[in-house]
Amino acid sequence: DADVTQTPRNRITKTGKRIMLECSQTKGHDRMYWYRQDPGLGLRLIYYSFDVKDINKGEISDGYSVSRQAQAKFSLSLESAIPNQTALYFCATSDPGTMSTDTQYFGPGTRLTVL
Amino acid sequence: TQLLEQSPQFLSIQEGENLTVYCNSSSVFSSLQWYRQEPGEGPVLLVTVVTGGEVKKLKRLTFQFGDARKDSSLHITAAQPGDTGLYLCAGDPNFGNEKLTFGTGTRLTIIP
């Protein structure tokens, strides 16, 4: 089974709708992240959480919110979706542990289309 | 804000050719990682380099961390279609204590 799972994998919605993307992990990592990827481009960080009580904005947090329900779960919400939020969304986890480097483990992605 | 610029942004070459991808910053990083993302999947870690000047080899891929720990390169020898994907570098600013900074990405296509 995959260590980092995302649901749904694909979603088509309409402008103005509220939508939630969910991420679950079985790696036991404290750190979780949400990224957005637009076609042909790299990753942009939306929000990140270093533990259950910690939530931080990334570089493109406007129009998004998150909830860290448990160590294993990190949800991303679009309160009122707009077409320019059409993108591929990735969840990731990490745990630097004793190695002093912070490898990230990514989920398979959610393809979101806002009409 | 630390930035990591990758070049080229897009690269399309014939099978068997060699290529180099660059990752550059004005900031110093404690370590630097390279990830590869294949279509329909999330990025997967290829390598981490932690010492200035370090060179690591992964089969036909050679990774180098700059002496000043501000830049890195990825060289692929005799490229194969299986090397096709999006290559992302990521810099760690502080030994795992802060979030990674991802590069802008290089989309590589190897033509059979």
Side-chain angles (χ1 to χ4, degrees):
Chain A
D1 289 337
D3 294 319
V4 184
T5 58
Q6 293 183 233
T7 56
R9 292 294 311 278
N10 291 281
R11 180 71 181 268
I12 300 174
T13 191
K14 295 182 179 180
T15 297
K17 293 291 187 180
R18 183 178 187 275
I19 183 167
M20 180 182 289
L21 308 183
E22 301 195 23
C23 177
S24 295
Q25 54 114 347
T26 59
K27 299 188 76 64
H29 289 170
D30 285 328
R31 298 181 178 184
M32 298 188 74
Y33 309 79
W34 275 105
Y35 291 93
R36 168 178 172 159
Q37 186 175 48
D38 293 285
L41 300 178
L43 300 171
R44 291 189 290 170
L45 183 64
I46 306 172
Y47 271 95
Y48 64 104
S49 170
F50 275 12
D51 64 45
V52 174
K53 297 181 180 179
D54 176 68
I55 301 289
N56 302 283
K57 292 183 177 180
E59 59 184 293
I60 56 162
S61 59
D62 288 349
Y64 301 95
S65 63
V66 291
S67 174
R68 185 80 185 268
Q69 302 96 320
Q71 185 198 44
K73 297 185 182 295
F74 194 34
S75 302
L76 176 71
S77 294
L78 287 68
E79 296 300 326
S80 180
I82 56 176
N84 77 1
Q85 290 177 313
T86 293
L88 190 55
Y89 290 84
F90 286 102
C91 174
T93 74
S94 73
D95 181 4
T98 59
M99 298 299 292
S100 296
T101 61
D102 201 16
T103 301
Q104 297 204 359
Y105 297 86
F106 287 84
T110 294
R111 187 169 298 280
L112 176 65
T113 303
V114 183
L115 302 176
Chain B
T1 301
Q2 297 171 307
L3 295 175
L4 274 170
E5 295 287 338
Q6 288 185 237
S7 61
Q9 185 177 0
F10 299 95
L11 182 59
S12 182
I13 65 171
Q14 295 289 135
E15 181 177 0
E17 294 183 352
N18 302 331
L19 66 108
T20 302
V21 174
Y22 299 93
C23 173
N24 294 297
S25 176
S26 58
S27 301
V28 175
F29 294 99
S30 59
S31 65
L32 197 134
Q33 302 171 3
W34 284 91
Y35 292 78
R36 180 169 64 205
Q37 182 183 8
E38 298 184 11
E41 300 180 7
V44 176
L45 180 71
L46 294 174
V47 77
T48 301
V49 284
V50 298
T51 305
E54 181 177 4
V55 176
K56 279 192 174 179
K57 292 192 174 183
L58 186 64
K59 296 184 180 179
R60 294 175 294 99
L61 279 60
T62 302
F63 305 84
Q64 184 163 7
F65 201 10
D67 290 341
R69 291 188 284 122
K70 294 182 179 181
D71 54 80
S72 181
S73 63
L74 158 60
H75 182 78
I76 301 179
T77 303
Q80 298 179 1
D83 296 326
T84 292
L86 178 69
Y87 289 80
L88 296 162
C89 64
D92 184 340
N94 189 18
F95 302 96
N97 294 310
E98 299 175 27
K99 61 181 176 62
L100 295 181
T101 296
F102 274 89
T104 49
T106 294
R107 186 163 297 279
L108 175 64
T109 303
I110 308 302
I111 304 166

